[in-house]
Amino acid sequence: LYKNKVVVSVVNPLSIKRFIQMKLAKVKTDKSDAKAICEYALINEVPLYNALTDTQSECLQLFRLLDTYLKQLTATKNKIHGEAVLGIPSKFVYRSLIRNKKQLNKEVAAIESKILSLVKVDQQEQLTLLTSIPGIGQKTALFLIVVTDGFNKFETASQLCSYVGITPTIRESGSSVRGRARISKVGNRKLRNLLFLCSFNACKHNKACKEVYERIVNKGKSKKLALIAVANKLLKQCFAIAKSGRPYDETYVSILPR
């Protein structure tokens, strides 16, 4: 549709599902769903769709394939370990698994090299800036650049945090309902997982993240909650550095206008 110059909007299907449920509809058919989707688009301001560039599309495909190979590699490593601890392991099976592991490692290295070469064409400077942040590795920086279109898709850091699904949700009502605060998880799960893994290193070597981690832990909160807060802080640092074009500086202090 987009290529044929038809105006398109891509909306989270959960929003439309909740809209239909709100109407207390008793009938669910293709015709009734189409009508409800039309009503949703007329009532709400739906954002216009902007297609991915060829480079972005290829990078996302490569990341998906990379995830598949990494899962296979983990399964193969576990299988090798399982075979090794057997009383009488089959030499043929063991050698076959070793060959498979080598091939998967080769494919993973090739994909990572290809992603790096594609991003470097247009975003070499931004890649250098992001990897200057202690805790942000090359893989996370590459994925951030690809899914955010070089951070052009977002105007504020809070928008980016919401997209990743790393913002807290609060459930409170009156004096009886005091729900536990959790992150929304309505967002890009892969990026959220990558940032959480980065937080382990960031809370040790990133000054601002270390302060956040220690402050939350000293309040008696769980370490997992502190790591999630660190991931949120990391994402905001990435946004600020990408937008400013300045490398990471642990002595920098932002001065907010009064």
PDB file of all heavy atoms in Angstrom, residues 113-150:
ATOM      1  N   SER A 113      29.406  -8.775  11.313  1.00  0.00           N
ATOM      2  CA  SER A 113      30.259  -7.973  10.442  1.00  0.00           C
ATOM      3  C   SER A 113      29.430  -7.229   9.393  1.00  0.00           C
ATOM      4  O   SER A 113      29.684  -6.057   9.091  1.00  0.00           O
ATOM      5  CB  SER A 113      31.291  -8.867   9.760  1.00  0.00           C
ATOM      6  OG  SER A 113      32.084  -8.131   8.852  1.00  0.00           O
ATOM      7  N   LYS A 114      28.402  -7.900   8.855  1.00  0.00           N
ATOM      8  CA  LYS A 114      27.541  -7.296   7.846  1.00  0.00           C
ATOM      9  C   LYS A 114      26.725  -6.150   8.440  1.00  0.00           C
ATOM     10  O   LYS A 114      26.607  -5.076   7.823  1.00  0.00           O
ATOM     11  CB  LYS A 114      26.597  -8.358   7.272  1.00  0.00           C
ATOM     12  CG  LYS A 114      25.632  -7.843   6.203  1.00  0.00           C
ATOM     13  CD  LYS A 114      26.360  -7.338   4.974  1.00  0.00           C
ATOM     14  CE  LYS A 114      25.369  -6.924   3.896  1.00  0.00           C
ATOM     15  NZ  LYS A 114      26.057  -6.334   2.713  1.00  0.00           N
ATOM     16  N   ILE A 115      26.161  -6.344   9.633  1.00  0.00           N
ATOM     17  CA  ILE A 115      25.391  -5.280  10.294  1.00  0.00           C
ATOM     18  C   ILE A 115      26.275  -4.065  10.543  1.00  0.00           C
ATOM     19  O   ILE A 115      25.885  -2.923  10.290  1.00  0.00           O
ATOM     20  CB  ILE A 115      24.792  -5.787  11.624  1.00  0.00           C
ATOM     21  CG1 ILE A 115      23.741  -6.869  11.380  1.00  0.00           C
ATOM     22  CG2 ILE A 115      24.149  -4.628  12.389  1.00  0.00           C
ATOM     23  CD1 ILE A 115      23.252  -7.554  12.639  1.00  0.00           C
ATOM     24  N   LEU A 116      27.483  -4.318  11.030  1.00  0.00           N
ATOM     25  CA  LEU A 116      28.426  -3.241  11.323  1.00  0.00           C
ATOM     26  C   LEU A 116      28.752  -2.447  10.058  1.00  0.00           C
ATOM     27  O   LEU A 116      28.767  -1.209  10.067  1.00  0.00           O
ATOM     28  CB  LEU A 116      29.703  -3.810  11.937  1.00  0.00           C
ATOM     29  CG  LEU A 116      30.775  -2.797  12.365  1.00  0.00           C
ATOM     30  CD1 LEU A 116      30.213  -1.838  13.415  1.00  0.00           C
ATOM     31  CD2 LEU A 116      32.005  -3.509  12.893  1.00  0.00           C
ATOM     32  N   SER A 117      28.990  -3.150   8.959  1.00  0.00           N
ATOM     33  CA  SER A 117      29.334  -2.473   7.704  1.00  0.00           C
ATOM     34  C   SER A 117      28.169  -1.637   7.181  1.00  0.00           C
ATOM     35  O   SER A 117      28.369  -0.547   6.630  1.00  0.00           O
ATOM     36  CB  SER A 117      29.763  -3.501   6.649  1.00  0.00           C
ATOM     37  OG  SER A 117      28.684  -4.352   6.298  1.00  0.00           O
ATOM     38  N   LEU A 118      26.922  -2.120   7.352  1.00  0.00           N
ATOM     39  CA  LEU A 118      25.741  -1.383   6.886  1.00  0.00           C
ATOM     40  C   LEU A 118      25.524  -0.112   7.702  1.00  0.00           C
ATOM     41  O   LEU A 118      25.235   0.953   7.145  1.00  0.00           O
ATOM     42  CB  LEU A 118      24.491  -2.271   6.970  1.00  0.00           C
ATOM     43  CG  LEU A 118      24.369  -3.391   5.940  1.00  0.00           C
ATOM     44  CD1 LEU A 118      23.200  -4.306   6.283  1.00  0.00           C
ATOM     45  CD2 LEU A 118      24.186  -2.817   4.537  1.00  0.00           C
ATOM     46  N   VAL A 119      25.664  -0.214   9.023  1.00  0.00           N
ATOM     47  CA  VAL A 119      25.438   0.947   9.892  1.00  0.00           C
ATOM     48  C   VAL A 119      26.545   1.981   9.722  1.00  0.00           C
ATOM     49  O   VAL A 119      26.293   3.190   9.761  1.00  0.00           O
ATOM     50  CB  VAL A 119      25.324   0.500  11.366  1.00  0.00           C
ATOM     51  CG1 VAL A 119      25.264   1.706  12.299  1.00  0.00           C
ATOM     52  CG2 VAL A 119      24.091  -0.374  11.566  1.00  0.00           C
ATOM     53  N   LYS A 120      27.767   1.518   9.512  1.00  0.00           N
ATOM     54  CA  LYS A 120      28.900   2.428   9.379  1.00  0.00           C
ATOM     55  C   LYS A 120      28.766   3.365   8.179  1.00  0.00           C
ATOM     56  O   LYS A 120      29.305   4.472   8.189  1.00  0.00           O
ATOM     57  CB  LYS A 120      30.201   1.628   9.257  1.00  0.00           C
ATOM     58  CG  LYS A 120      30.825   1.250  10.593  1.00  0.00           C
ATOM     59  CD  LYS A 120      32.177   0.591  10.384  1.00  0.00           C
ATOM     60  CE  LYS A 120      32.883   0.374  11.715  1.00  0.00           C
ATOM     61  NZ  LYS A 120      34.218  -0.242  11.531  1.00  0.00           N
ATOM     62  N   VAL A 121      28.035   2.925   7.166  1.00  0.00           N
ATOM     63  CA  VAL A 121      27.890   3.741   5.953  1.00  0.00           C
ATOM     64  C   VAL A 121      27.265   5.089   6.276  1.00  0.00           C
ATOM     65  O   VAL A 121      27.719   6.139   5.797  1.00  0.00           O
ATOM     66  CB  VAL A 121      27.032   2.997   4.900  1.00  0.00           C
ATOM     67  CG1 VAL A 121      26.729   3.905   3.717  1.00  0.00           C
ATOM     68  CG2 VAL A 121      27.748   1.739   4.442  1.00  0.00           C
ATOM     69  N   ASP A 122      26.196   5.083   7.090  1.00  0.00           N
ATOM     70  CA  ASP A 122      25.469   6.323   7.380  1.00  0.00           C
ATOM     71  C   ASP A 122      25.635   6.823   8.811  1.00  0.00           C
ATOM     72  O   ASP A 122      25.447   8.010   9.075  1.00  0.00           O
ATOM     73  CB  ASP A 122      23.965   6.127   7.108  1.00  0.00           C
ATOM     74  CG  ASP A 122      23.681   5.743   5.672  1.00  0.00           C
ATOM     75  OD1 ASP A 122      24.325   6.327   4.775  1.00  0.00           O
ATOM     76  OD2 ASP A 122      22.833   4.860   5.441  1.00  0.00           O
ATOM     77  N   GLN A 123      25.961   5.921   9.746  1.00  0.00           N
ATOM     78  CA  GLN A 123      25.903   6.292  11.162  1.00  0.00           C
ATOM     79  C   GLN A 123      27.197   5.996  11.917  1.00  0.00           C
ATOM     80  O   GLN A 123      27.163   5.672  13.096  1.00  0.00           O
ATOM     81  CB  GLN A 123      24.745   5.534  11.841  1.00  0.00           C
ATOM     82  CG  GLN A 123      23.394   5.754  11.212  1.00  0.00           C
ATOM     83  CD  GLN A 123      22.840   7.143  11.501  1.00  0.00           C
ATOM     84  OE1 GLN A 123      23.432   7.917  12.243  1.00  0.00           O
ATOM     85  NE2 GLN A 123      21.708   7.451  10.919  1.00  0.00           N
ATOM     86  N   GLN A 124      28.328   6.118  11.257  1.00  0.00           N
ATOM     87  CA  GLN A 124      29.603   5.824  11.921  1.00  0.00           C
ATOM     88  C   GLN A 124      29.839   6.743  13.117  1.00  0.00           C
ATOM     89  O   GLN A 124      30.249   6.305  14.192  1.00  0.00           O
ATOM     90  CB  GLN A 124      30.750   5.966  10.925  1.00  0.00           C
ATOM     91  CG  GLN A 124      32.155   5.853  11.550  1.00  0.00           C
ATOM     92  CD  GLN A 124      32.396   4.497  12.194  1.00  0.00           C
ATOM     93  OE1 GLN A 124      32.434   3.490  11.513  1.00  0.00           O
ATOM     94  NE2 GLN A 124      32.545   4.474  13.508  1.00  0.00           N
ATOM     95  N   GLU A 125      29.551   8.030  12.949  1.00  0.00           N
ATOM     96  CA  GLU A 125      29.779   8.990  14.030  1.00  0.00           C
ATOM     97  C   GLU A 125      28.895   8.677  15.241  1.00  0.00           C
ATOM     98  O   GLU A 125      29.362   8.694  16.381  1.00  0.00           O
ATOM     99  CB  GLU A 125      29.497  10.408  13.540  1.00  0.00           C
ATOM    100  CG  GLU A 125      29.793  11.473  14.587  1.00  0.00           C
ATOM    101  CD  GLU A 125      29.507  12.880  14.090  1.00  0.00           C
ATOM    102  OE1 GLU A 125      29.186  13.043  12.892  1.00  0.00           O
ATOM    103  OE2 GLU A 125      29.595  13.818  14.915  1.00  0.00           O
ATOM    104  N   GLN A 126      27.626   8.367  14.971  1.00  0.00           N
ATOM    105  CA  GLN A 126      26.710   8.064  16.068  1.00  0.00           C
ATOM    106  C   GLN A 126      27.090   6.766  16.777  1.00  0.00           C
ATOM    107  O   GLN A 126      26.966   6.661  18.003  1.00  0.00           O
ATOM    108  CB  GLN A 126      25.278   7.966  15.537  1.00  0.00           C
ATOM    109  CG  GLN A 126      24.230   8.144  16.626  1.00  0.00           C
ATOM    110  CD  GLN A 126      22.857   8.383  16.047  1.00  0.00           C
ATOM    111  OE1 GLN A 126      22.188   7.426  15.670  1.00  0.00           O
ATOM    112  NE2 GLN A 126      22.426   9.631  15.991  1.00  0.00           N
ATOM    113  N   LEU A 127      27.567   5.797  16.023  1.00  0.00           N
ATOM    114  CA  LEU A 127      28.023   4.539  16.610  1.00  0.00           C
ATOM    115  C   LEU A 127      29.193   4.781  17.554  1.00  0.00           C
ATOM    116  O   LEU A 127      29.249   4.219  18.654  1.00  0.00           O
ATOM    117  CB  LEU A 127      28.423   3.563  15.501  1.00  0.00           C
ATOM    118  CG  LEU A 127      28.932   2.182  15.939  1.00  0.00           C
ATOM    119  CD1 LEU A 127      27.853   1.427  16.700  1.00  0.00           C
ATOM    120  CD2 LEU A 127      29.391   1.371  14.724  1.00  0.00           C
ATOM    121  N   THR A 128      30.123   5.633  17.148  1.00  0.00           N
ATOM    122  CA  THR A 128      31.275   5.975  17.990  1.00  0.00           C
ATOM    123  C   THR A 128      30.833   6.679  19.268  1.00  0.00           C
ATOM    124  O   THR A 128      31.352   6.405  20.356  1.00  0.00           O
ATOM    125  CB  THR A 128      32.253   6.873  17.206  1.00  0.00           C
ATOM    126  OG1 THR A 128      32.646   6.210  16.001  1.00  0.00           O
ATOM    127  CG2 THR A 128      33.493   7.177  18.033  1.00  0.00           C
ATOM    128  N   LEU A 129      29.856   7.585  19.137  1.00  0.00           N
ATOM    129  CA  LEU A 129      29.353   8.317  20.299  1.00  0.00           C
ATOM    130  C   LEU A 129      28.694   7.376  21.302  1.00  0.00           C
ATOM    131  O   LEU A 129      28.941   7.467  22.509  1.00  0.00           O
ATOM    132  CB  LEU A 129      28.346   9.382  19.855  1.00  0.00           C
ATOM    133  CG  LEU A 129      28.899  10.600  19.108  1.00  0.00           C
ATOM    134  CD1 LEU A 129      27.761  11.447  18.558  1.00  0.00           C
ATOM    135  CD2 LEU A 129      29.789  11.435  20.012  1.00  0.00           C
ATOM    136  N   LEU A 130      27.861   6.473  20.820  1.00  0.00           N
ATOM    137  CA  LEU A 130      27.124   5.569  21.713  1.00  0.00           C
ATOM    138  C   LEU A 130      28.052   4.596  22.432  1.00  0.00           C
ATOM    139  O   LEU A 130      27.870   4.310  23.612  1.00  0.00           O
ATOM    140  CB  LEU A 130      26.057   4.801  20.930  1.00  0.00           C
ATOM    141  CG  LEU A 130      24.873   5.621  20.418  1.00  0.00           C
ATOM    142  CD1 LEU A 130      23.931   4.745  19.605  1.00  0.00           C
ATOM    143  CD2 LEU A 130      24.119   6.275  21.564  1.00  0.00           C
ATOM    144  N   THR A 131      29.047   4.089  21.722  1.00  0.00           N
ATOM    145  CA  THR A 131      29.970   3.132  22.347  1.00  0.00           C
ATOM    146  C   THR A 131      30.944   3.808  23.305  1.00  0.00           C
ATOM    147  O   THR A 131      31.697   3.137  24.012  1.00  0.00           O
ATOM    148  CB  THR A 131      30.760   2.350  21.278  1.00  0.00           C
ATOM    149  OG1 THR A 131      31.343   3.267  20.336  1.00  0.00           O
ATOM    150  CG2 THR A 131      29.859   1.372  20.535  1.00  0.00           C
ATOM    151  N   SER A 132      30.934   5.153  23.339  1.00  0.00           N
ATOM    152  CA  SER A 132      31.760   5.862  24.324  1.00  0.00           C
ATOM    153  C   SER A 132      31.120   5.824  25.709  1.00  0.00           C
ATOM    154  O   SER A 132      31.774   6.151  26.706  1.00  0.00           O
ATOM    155  CB  SER A 132      31.969   7.326  23.891  1.00  0.00           C
ATOM    156  OG  SER A 132      30.771   8.076  24.040  1.00  0.00           O
ATOM    157  N   ILE A 133      29.847   5.420  25.787  1.00  0.00           N
ATOM    158  CA  ILE A 133      29.136   5.336  27.065  1.00  0.00           C
ATOM    159  C   ILE A 133      29.531   4.037  27.761  1.00  0.00           C
ATOM    160  O   ILE A 133      29.330   2.952  27.208  1.00  0.00           O
ATOM    161  CB  ILE A 133      27.613   5.355  26.853  1.00  0.00           C
ATOM    162  CG1 ILE A 133      27.193   6.605  26.088  1.00  0.00           C
ATOM    163  CG2 ILE A 133      26.874   5.278  28.194  1.00  0.00           C
ATOM    164  CD1 ILE A 133      25.739   6.596  25.672  1.00  0.00           C
ATOM    165  N   PRO A 134      30.094   4.090  28.971  1.00  0.00           N
ATOM    166  CA  PRO A 134      30.440   2.860  29.687  1.00  0.00           C
ATOM    167  C   PRO A 134      29.195   1.999  29.936  1.00  0.00           C
ATOM    168  O   PRO A 134      28.221   2.456  30.512  1.00  0.00           O
ATOM    169  CB  PRO A 134      31.014   3.378  31.015  1.00  0.00           C
ATOM    170  CG  PRO A 134      31.459   4.764  30.724  1.00  0.00           C
ATOM    171  CD  PRO A 134      30.492   5.301  29.716  1.00  0.00           C
ATOM    172  N   GLY A 135      29.232   0.779  29.451  1.00  0.00           N
ATOM    173  CA  GLY A 135      28.105  -0.122  29.607  1.00  0.00           C
ATOM    174  C   GLY A 135      27.398  -0.415  28.300  1.00  0.00           C
ATOM    175  O   GLY A 135      26.721  -1.443  28.168  1.00  0.00           O
ATOM    176  N   ILE A 136      27.524   0.458  27.320  1.00  0.00           N
ATOM    177  CA  ILE A 136      26.883   0.244  26.025  1.00  0.00           C
ATOM    178  C   ILE A 136      27.876  -0.431  25.080  1.00  0.00           C
ATOM    179  O   ILE A 136      28.899   0.147  24.721  1.00  0.00           O
ATOM    180  CB  ILE A 136      26.386   1.572  25.406  1.00  0.00           C
ATOM    181  CG1 ILE A 136      25.280   2.176  26.256  1.00  0.00           C
ATOM    182  CG2 ILE A 136      25.882   1.351  23.983  1.00  0.00           C
ATOM    183  CD1 ILE A 136      23.994   1.377  26.297  1.00  0.00           C
ATOM    184  N   GLY A 137      27.556  -1.665  24.699  1.00  0.00           N
ATOM    185  CA  GLY A 137      28.412  -2.403  23.777  1.00  0.00           C
ATOM    186  C   GLY A 137      28.051  -2.119  22.334  1.00  0.00           C
ATOM    187  O   GLY A 137      27.057  -1.448  22.044  1.00  0.00           O
ATOM    188  N   GLN A 138      28.848  -2.653  21.442  1.00  0.00           N
ATOM    189  CA  GLN A 138      28.646  -2.397  20.015  1.00  0.00           C
ATOM    190  C   GLN A 138      27.314  -2.947  19.514  1.00  0.00           C
ATOM    191  O   GLN A 138      26.613  -2.289  18.740  1.00  0.00           O
ATOM    192  CB  GLN A 138      29.801  -3.002  19.211  1.00  0.00           C
ATOM    193  CG  GLN A 138      29.714  -2.705  17.715  1.00  0.00           C
ATOM    194  CD  GLN A 138      30.953  -3.157  16.982  1.00  0.00           C
ATOM    195  OE1 GLN A 138      31.915  -2.402  16.853  1.00  0.00           O
ATOM    196  NE2 GLN A 138      30.955  -4.389  16.501  1.00  0.00           N
ATOM    197  N   LYS A 139      26.941  -4.166  19.974  1.00  0.00           N
ATOM    198  CA  LYS A 139      25.699  -4.783  19.519  1.00  0.00           C
ATOM    199  C   LYS A 139      24.483  -3.955  19.922  1.00  0.00           C
ATOM    200  O   LYS A 139      23.582  -3.716  19.107  1.00  0.00           O
ATOM    201  CB  LYS A 139      25.571  -6.200  20.092  1.00  0.00           C
ATOM    202  CG  LYS A 139      24.352  -6.957  19.593  1.00  0.00           C
ATOM    203  CD  LYS A 139      24.299  -8.353  20.179  1.00  0.00           C
ATOM    204  CE  LYS A 139      23.053  -9.097  19.718  1.00  0.00           C
ATOM    205  NZ  LYS A 139      22.979 -10.452  20.321  1.00  0.00           N
ATOM    206  N   THR A 140      24.461  -3.490  21.171  1.00  0.00           N
ATOM    207  CA  THR A 140      23.345  -2.663  21.649  1.00  0.00           C
ATOM    208  C   THR A 140      23.302  -1.340  20.899  1.00  0.00           C
ATOM    209  O   THR A 140      22.228  -0.859  20.528  1.00  0.00           O
ATOM    210  CB  THR A 140      23.481  -2.407  23.161  1.00  0.00           C
ATOM    211  OG1 THR A 140      23.561  -3.658  23.842  1.00  0.00           O
ATOM    212  CG2 THR A 140      22.292  -1.621  23.692  1.00  0.00           C
ATOM    213  N   ALA A 141      24.470  -0.739  20.674  1.00  0.00           N
ATOM    214  CA  ALA A 141      24.532   0.534  19.951  1.00  0.00           C
ATOM    215  C   ALA A 141      24.004   0.376  18.527  1.00  0.00           C
ATOM    216  O   ALA A 141      23.233   1.214  18.040  1.00  0.00           O
ATOM    217  CB  ALA A 141      25.970   1.048  19.930  1.00  0.00           C
ATOM    218  N   LEU A 142      24.403  -0.705  17.872  1.00  0.00           N
ATOM    219  CA  LEU A 142      23.931  -0.972  16.506  1.00  0.00           C
ATOM    220  C   LEU A 142      22.416  -1.133  16.464  1.00  0.00           C
ATOM    221  O   LEU A 142      21.736  -0.558  15.612  1.00  0.00           O
ATOM    222  CB  LEU A 142      24.604  -2.233  15.954  1.00  0.00           C
ATOM    223  CG  LEU A 142      26.083  -2.126  15.581  1.00  0.00           C
ATOM    224  CD1 LEU A 142      26.663  -3.503  15.300  1.00  0.00           C
ATOM    225  CD2 LEU A 142      26.270  -1.234  14.367  1.00  0.00           C
ATOM    226  N   PHE A 143      21.879  -1.919  17.401  1.00  0.00           N
ATOM    227  CA  PHE A 143      20.440  -2.168  17.409  1.00  0.00           C
ATOM    228  C   PHE A 143      19.675  -0.881  17.719  1.00  0.00           C
ATOM    229  O   PHE A 143      18.613  -0.621  17.130  1.00  0.00           O
ATOM    230  CB  PHE A 143      20.100  -3.249  18.441  1.00  0.00           C
ATOM    231  CG  PHE A 143      18.715  -3.810  18.287  1.00  0.00           C
ATOM    232  CD1 PHE A 143      18.395  -4.609  17.201  1.00  0.00           C
ATOM    233  CD2 PHE A 143      17.725  -3.532  19.222  1.00  0.00           C
ATOM    234  CE1 PHE A 143      17.114  -5.125  17.047  1.00  0.00           C
ATOM    235  CE2 PHE A 143      16.454  -4.048  19.088  1.00  0.00           C
ATOM    236  CZ  PHE A 143      16.143  -4.841  17.992  1.00  0.00           C
ATOM    237  N   LEU A 144      20.197  -0.077  18.630  1.00  0.00           N
ATOM    238  CA  LEU A 144      19.569   1.204  18.961  1.00  0.00           C
ATOM    239  C   LEU A 144      19.481   2.105  17.726  1.00  0.00           C
ATOM    240  O   LEU A 144      18.434   2.707  17.461  1.00  0.00           O
ATOM    241  CB  LEU A 144      20.379   1.908  20.049  1.00  0.00           C
ATOM    242  CG  LEU A 144      19.848   1.862  21.482  1.00  0.00           C
ATOM    243  CD1 LEU A 144      20.881   2.454  22.431  1.00  0.00           C
ATOM    244  CD2 LEU A 144      18.535   2.592  21.609  1.00  0.00           C
ATOM    245  N   ILE A 145      20.568   2.191  17.000  1.00  0.00           N
ATOM    246  CA  ILE A 145      20.611   3.058  15.814  1.00  0.00           C
ATOM    247  C   ILE A 145      19.615   2.587  14.767  1.00  0.00           C
ATOM    248  O   ILE A 145      18.901   3.392  14.151  1.00  0.00           O
ATOM    249  CB  ILE A 145      22.036   3.098  15.231  1.00  0.00           C
ATOM    250  CG1 ILE A 145      22.971   3.848  16.179  1.00  0.00           C
ATOM    251  CG2 ILE A 145      22.046   3.759  13.856  1.00  0.00           C
ATOM    252  CD1 ILE A 145      24.442   3.741  15.823  1.00  0.00           C
ATOM    253  N   VAL A 146      19.533   1.271  14.580  1.00  0.00           N
ATOM    254  CA  VAL A 146      18.652   0.716  13.544  1.00  0.00           C
ATOM    255  C   VAL A 146      17.182   0.939  13.885  1.00  0.00           C
ATOM    256  O   VAL A 146      16.411   1.441  13.068  1.00  0.00           O
ATOM    257  CB  VAL A 146      18.939  -0.788  13.334  1.00  0.00           C
ATOM    258  CG1 VAL A 146      17.884  -1.414  12.426  1.00  0.00           C
ATOM    259  CG2 VAL A 146      20.326  -0.979  12.739  1.00  0.00           C
ATOM    260  N   VAL A 147      16.761   0.550  15.104  1.00  0.00           N
ATOM    261  CA  VAL A 147      15.334   0.608  15.443  1.00  0.00           C
ATOM    262  C   VAL A 147      14.836   2.039  15.669  1.00  0.00           C
ATOM    263  O   VAL A 147      13.629   2.294  15.579  1.00  0.00           O
ATOM    264  CB  VAL A 147      15.007  -0.257  16.682  1.00  0.00           C
ATOM    265  CG1 VAL A 147      15.325  -1.702  16.429  1.00  0.00           C
ATOM    266  CG2 VAL A 147      15.718   0.243  17.927  1.00  0.00           C
ATOM    267  N   THR A 148      15.736   2.974  15.977  1.00  0.00           N
ATOM    268  CA  THR A 148      15.316   4.360  16.203  1.00  0.00           C
ATOM    269  C   THR A 148      15.563   5.247  14.991  1.00  0.00           C
ATOM    270  O   THR A 148      15.287   6.447  15.048  1.00  0.00           O
ATOM    271  CB  THR A 148      16.054   4.970  17.406  1.00  0.00           C
ATOM    272  OG1 THR A 148      17.462   5.026  17.116  1.00  0.00           O
ATOM    273  CG2 THR A 148      15.819   4.161  18.671  1.00  0.00           C
ATOM    274  N   ASP A 149      16.077   4.649  13.912  1.00  0.00           N
ATOM    275  CA  ASP A 149      16.427   5.416  12.713  1.00  0.00           C
ATOM    276  C   ASP A 149      17.381   6.554  13.082  1.00  0.00           C
ATOM    277  O   ASP A 149      17.173   7.713  12.734  1.00  0.00           O
ATOM    278  CB  ASP A 149      15.159   5.968  12.046  1.00  0.00           C
ATOM    279  CG  ASP A 149      15.455   6.619  10.696  1.00  0.00           C
ATOM    280  OD1 ASP A 149      16.532   6.345  10.125  1.00  0.00           O
ATOM    281  OD2 ASP A 149      14.618   7.411  10.218  1.00  0.00           O
ATOM    282  N   GLY A 150      18.428   6.180  13.797  1.00  0.00           N
ATOM    283  CA  GLY A 150      19.410   7.180  14.221  1.00  0.00           C
ATOM    284  C   GLY A 150      18.822   8.185  15.191  1.00  0.00           C
ATOM    285  O   GLY A 150      19.225   9.356  15.197  1.00  0.00           O
TER     286      GLY A 150
END
